[in-house]
Amino acid sequence: MQLRELPSVDAVLARATGPLARYPRALVVEEIRRVLDGMRRAILAGREPVGGAVEAIVERSLQALEMPSLRRVINATGVVLHTNLGRAPLAALTLAGGYSNLEYDIETGHRGKRGAHIAPLLERLLGAPGIAVNNNAAAVYLALHELASGGEVIVSRGELIEIGDGFRIPEIMARSGAILREVGTTNRTHIGDYRAAINERTRLLMRVHPSNFRMEGFTARPTLAELVALSRASGIPLYEDLGSGCLVDLKPYGVEEPLAAVSLSAGVDLISFSGDKLMGGPQAGILAGRADLVERLNRNPMFRALRLDKLIYEVLEASLRALLLGRIEELPALAMIAQPAARIRERAERLAPFIEALKTIHAVELIDGESLVGGGATPEQPLATCLIRIRTDDATALERKLRLGEPAVIARIEEDTVVLDLRTVLPSEERELLQALSR
């Protein structure tokens, strides 16, 4: 195609009055220009532009704009807290439409505080007052900004971790205005290192739970009891970032993570953790501890910049209530973790004949395997599961078709086979999974 063959905007508009009539004219004109500009750049670069009539290309582009980008997917990878798939899956909720009592006290008829919707639940779950911000990195920032800005925070060198996507705890801490006082070595830190580092500028002792990695071999770190004792003796608050936010005991299901309430009962002054990891709720950062410290955080001007909106508060309140009432089956992430391998095998055995009957499937095999908690939590603590291994002519092509379907099915490829782990597939999604495979 040559440049002179490109139609004018008016010419395309004249031909496209029918299929494009439902869109605003200004949007159509802008999209035609965008498509023509793209074709012009391709020709000038010596490439063949996208084929087809311009109006048809514009129509497909506008149709794509009508489709939501954020969509539900079926997670068949076996990674429960899949970072790329939104971490903790949420239960289906009917959000309150219209207005709400977000900052209104219905009983008194006066202005209220949005934190009131979760405060009683947090206090009952943790035995201490708490607040929430938009994620755990924000929680760390707020704690250090309020409690240690301009002063020093003593932290073990071995706990200055990277939390993913290039974000590093030391950088977040530095932005808070606090000065990091690193003690110990990468693999070994002792309580004496903390004690020796305390000076007149020390504002906070900090402990970071290494939830996304494990160090083995010649390692050491102070016990929580040692740090609490040093905090009491020095009068310097102890702050612990727990990362994954485990509020219920998951040891019976093969997951060993420290419980948030245990840290507080042991004497830690302030803790923080994520809402969308082992707590099983929406993205949030929870801060809880001594009432005077929590009140200071609540009054910090940055708290308003980091606060949650009404949609997150509604989901967070429902998640905390389910935890308090012991209804972990209402939190999909925890229900998935608690699901025994035998139950997953039963589900796989029920689906396998239907999958094997599909024309393009050569063989279906059920094998023992491992699921992962994921989300930077519980490294090297896999969960036993049963995998569905599918052999077909082209595993890559099948994986791609599943991924591009509606809803998208995200699977794994191993040894030229497509592998499905039903641990992360909700029972209500099984029919859709079969339909996706049949397509």
Side-chain angles (χ1 to χ4, degrees), residues 39-56:
M39 297 175 76
R40 190 175 295 108
R41 285 195 300 270
I43 293 170
L44 291 173
R47 301 191 310 269
E48 189 65 25
V50 179
V54 174
E55 56 269 27

Side-chain angles (χ1 to χ4, degrees), residues 35 63 71 105 107 133 139 148 159 192 194 214 220 225 238 244 273 307 311 316 335 337 350 380 383 407 422:
V35 170
Q63 286 173 343
R71 312 198 310 261
D105 188 325
E107 247 182 65
V133 289
E159 296 174 359
Y194 284 83
R214 286 284 185 272
L238 174 60
S244 298
F273 55 86
R307 68 180 182 176
L311 298 179
L316 182 58
I337 290 171
R350 189 175 66 251
E380 299 180 8
L383 307 171
L422 296 183

Side-chain angles (χ1 to χ4, degrees), residues 27-59:
L27 178 62
V28 174
V29 170
E30 185 60 33
E31 196 61 28
I32 292 172
R33 286 175 177 155
R34 194 187 67 82
V35 170
L36 290 173
D37 285 345
M39 297 175 76
R40 190 175 295 108
R41 285 195 300 270
I43 293 170
L44 291 173
R47 301 191 310 269
E48 189 65 25
V50 179
V54 174
E55 56 269 27
I57 299 171
V58 170
E59 184 180 9

Side-chain angles (χ1 to χ4, degrees), residues 29 45 49 79 83 187 193 203 223 283 294 330 346 355 357 376 378 382 391 417 438:
V29 170
V79 181
T83 300
N187 61 319
D193 297 321
R203 299 290 180 270
T223 65
Q283 177 177 297
V294 173
E330 295 180 10
E346 289 174 6
I355 300 173
T378 66
R391 296 193 181 278
T417 64
S438 67

Side-chain angles (χ1 to χ4, degrees), residues 54 78 101 105 129 173 226 280 288 307 332 347 352 357 365 386 409 439:
V54 174
N101 62 327
D105 188 325
M173 294 170 73
E226 288 177 319
R307 68 180 182 176
R347 295 172 59 198
E365 181 184 7
C386 175
V409 175
R439 285 195 298 268

Side-chain angles (χ1 to χ4, degrees), residues 112-170:
K113 293 187 178 296
R114 61 181 66 193
H117 302 290
I118 61 168
L121 301 172
L122 282 174
E123 187 141 15
R124 283 173 173 80
L125 281 164
L126 299 171
I131 57 174
V133 289
N134 54 27
N135 59 31
N136 194 44
V140 172
Y141 174 88
L142 181 64
L144 298 183
H145 184 268
E146 173 58 37
L147 304 179
S149 182
E152 292 186 357
V153 178
I154 301 176
V155 62
S156 169
R157 185 170 280 108
E159 296 174 359
L160 296 175
I161 62 174
E162 182 174 310
I163 57 176
D165 199 24
F167 290 99
R168 296 176 173 177
I169 288 290

Side-chain angles (χ1 to χ4, degrees), residues 408-437:
V409 175
I410 313 301
R412 289 154 44 189
I413 294 182
E414 294 179 2
E415 301 175 1
D416 294 325
T417 64
V418 172
V419 175
L420 309 175
D421 187 345
L422 296 183
R423 180 182 295 280
T424 50
V425 176
L426 298 171
S428 60
E429 295 173 331
E430 289 179 2
R431 181 183 294 274
E432 288 180 299
L433 177 60
L434 290 175
Q435 290 172 344
L437 285 165

